[in-house]
Amino acid sequence: MHERKAEQVPADPEQERIRAETVRRLERSMGALGTAAVARMEERLAWFRRMSAQDRSWIGLVAQSGVAAFVDWFRNPGRGRPAVTVEVFGTAPRELTRSVSLQQTVDMIRTVIEVVEGQVDELAAPGGAQQLREAVLRYTREVAFSSAKVYARAAEARGAWDARLEALIVDALLHGDREDGLQTWGSALGWALTPVIAIVGSLGGEDAGKVLDDVRAAARRLGHDVLAGTQGRRVVAVVGVGDRYPVGELPRAAAEPLAGLFGPGPVVVGPAVPELRSAGASARAAVSGLRAAAAWPDAPRPVLADDLLPERALQGDTEARRQLVEDVYTPLLGAGSPLLDTLTVYLEHASSLEATARMLFVHPNTVRYRLSRVAELTGHTPSDGRGSFVLRIAVALGRLSEEPGA
């Protein structure tokens, strides 16, 4: 069976005459309506009064376009659904969505419609007030839907742009280039918080997009600024933590709530740095730590890159070698030979106080005192397994650095 085509209802000549007369009246009043709408916004909307002249001009242009598009649609009701997005917001969608929030756009639309509705009786031809009022209501609904679409598309585009810029910043941080532009790039993403830390972990078998989204969402819930990207199967997150943590608790305290969002394996946290521009040092230390973390199977999760200095040094990280020498060997050397000699003998004699005292011809209490001074100077306890390992590597590297040609 063939389907019957829907029969078109013949137009009422009288209604068409009234519509045509209303259109003529609207056309004569378009400029005045747009001006009245802008004046009403100036009067009622505080946010509109605070805007720059350029931004107010964009709003005025959109208001005028909205009135013109309504008149054109009202003239040809047979066109069906009005193409509001193109006809109204097509004038300046980018400027509008940058300068005005969705709620403010709704306020703007409401104001324009109120101006038109308030003059329906004067604008409509005799007998056409109800016809015009119904058209205004329908058009208002379409503008509301189109507003939501414009902002949804802008948010989607912004999200894609942000993700690309984040990946570019992370790559620049890891490779140490373009650091002068990092602060500008960060500002484009709304970056404001310092100090900054880098957190690096693996993806494992997880989807990269999901891990990045989870890390970003969790960091923002904690009130942090965050940039996140991938490098191969590694996830690199750069986090601006603000002043919510005491200096002594950074960066571990800031990283702990995020560590579980990375894939299996070590999660390494770079040292805190004062600004985004210098975050490359933190990121590179964290990546170096992740490469070396396999040498310390019992490392905590997350582990500080500075706690992995011996492993990083053994793997050839020159910055880790320099830091160990400066932080451990140089203070010991400056404190005089008794401390360094006592530590060396103690490490070579299986951490035995008595054996060390006999070799040095001193009382065990003297050895005890000197070892406590070593711990005070370096932050590493010689009698602790991990501490003795760090000290042994640092002393060896320090002595190698003193060799001619080192």
Side-chain angles (χ1 to χ4, degrees):
M1 287 180 67
H2 296 288
E3 294 183 359
R4 287 186 177 181
K5 292 183 179 179
E7 295 182 1
Q8 292 186 349
V9 178
D12 184 335
E14 178 61 17
Q15 290 297 315
E16 288 302 306
R17 184 193 67 77
I18 293 173
R19 181 184 295 274
E21 176 60 26
T22 300
V23 167
R24 284 191 290 273
R25 294 187 178 204
L26 287 169
E27 288 175 335
R28 287 195 298 267
S29 305
M30 279 196 301
L33 286 171
T35 302
V38 173
R40 184 73 63 86
M41 284 188 279
E42 183 81 33
E43 175 188 344
R44 290 190 177 183
L45 305 178
W47 60 264
F48 182 76
R49 293 193 297 271
R50 291 193 297 267
M51 297 182 80
S52 66
Q54 181 180 13
D55 287 338
R56 285 200 303 272
S57 71
W58 279 121
I59 299 299
L61 178 61
V62 171
Q64 294 277 5
S65 299
V67 173
F70 168 72
V71 173
D72 184 61
W73 171 75
F74 184 73
R75 180 190 296 111
N76 302 292
R79 289 191 311 173
R81 190 171 185 174
V84 178
T85 303
V86 176
E87 295 173 350
V88 179
F89 296 102
T91 56
R94 184 173 301 174
E95 287 75 7
L96 180 66
T97 54
R98 282 179 179 174
S99 304
V100 185
S101 70
L102 179 57
Q103 181 58 53
Q104 290 169 339
T105 303
V106 172
D107 292 340
M108 178 189 71
I109 293 167
R110 185 182 295 118
T111 303
V112 174
I113 296 305
E114 283 177 0
V115 169
V116 177
E117 285 183 322
Q119 301 184 37
V120 163
D121 291 334
E122 292 80 11
L123 294 170
Q130 184 61 29
Q131 183 187 62
L132 179 57
R133 190 171 285 109
E134 290 176 356
V136 168
L137 290 174
R138 181 180 171 192
Y139 194 78
T140 303
R141 182 187 64 185
E142 296 299 337
V143 171
F145 286 143
S146 295
S147 300
K149 287 181 181 178
V150 167
Y151 278 85
R153 281 201 302 268
E156 183 178 355
R158 173 77 183 188
W161 183 84
D162 284 356
R164 289 193 295 272
L165 183 56
E166 283 190 40
L168 182 63
I169 293 175
V170 168
D171 184 70
L173 289 172
L174 291 173
H175 291 90
D177 57 359
R178 301 181 183 176
E179 294 195 356
D180 289 340
L182 290 176
Q183 211 68 30
T184 301
W185 292 349
S187 296
L189 293 170
W191 188 283
L193 297 176
T194 56
V196 179
I197 62 171
I199 309 171
V200 179
S202 68
L203 280 172
E206 301 293 328
D207 175 71
K210 181 180 183 304
V211 172
L212 291 176
D213 287 345
D214 289 347
V215 169
R216 291 185 186 113
R220 286 167 184 153
R221 282 196 300 271
L222 291 168
H224 303 327
D225 286 337
V226 60
L227 304 171
T230 56
Q231 187 191 49
R233 299 301 296 172
R234 285 194 292 263
V235 180
V236 181
V238 180
V239 182
V241 298
D243 57 2
R244 66 186 62 233
Y245 301 102
V247 175
E249 296 180 13
L250 265 175
R252 192 192 306 274
E256 281 178 347
L258 304 175
L261 302 173
F262 291 78
V267 174
V268 183
V269 191
V273 293
E275 58 183 354
L276 181 60
R277 188 180 312 178
S278 53
S282 181
R284 290 189 291 274
V287 169
S288 172
L290 188 66
R291 293 195 191 104
W296 187 14
D298 296 329
R301 190 178 193 263
V303 60
L304 302 183
D306 284 354
D307 288 345
L308 286 162
L309 286 175
E311 289 80 6
R312 290 166 54 195
L314 290 172
Q315 202 177 48
D317 185 335
T318 55
E319 176 60 25
R321 291 184 175 188
R322 182 199 62 77
Q323 194 171 337
L324 274 176
V325 172
E326 289 186 359
D327 292 352
V328 178
Y329 182 74
T330 301
L332 291 175
L333 192 63
S337 58
L339 283 190
L340 193 55
D341 291 344
T342 299
L343 175 63
T344 301
V345 173
Y346 179 77
L347 294 175
E348 289 177 352
H349 286 79
S351 301
S352 169
L353 285 172
E354 291 74 14
T356 303
R358 285 196 300 272
M359 288 293 299
L360 295 174
F361 303 102
V362 296
H363 194 278
N365 284 342
T366 302
V367 174
R368 222 178 254 109
Y369 169 75
R370 291 176 181 175
L371 294 179
S372 68
R373 287 283 297 134
V374 169
E376 290 174 8
L377 287 171
T378 66
H380 301 286
T381 303
S383 59
D384 173 73
R386 179 70 188 172
S388 66
F389 174 69
V390 174
L391 290 166
R392 186 183 293 273
I393 298 296
V395 170
L397 290 172
R399 286 175 172 154
L400 287 172
S401 70
E402 293 179 338
E403 288 295 307

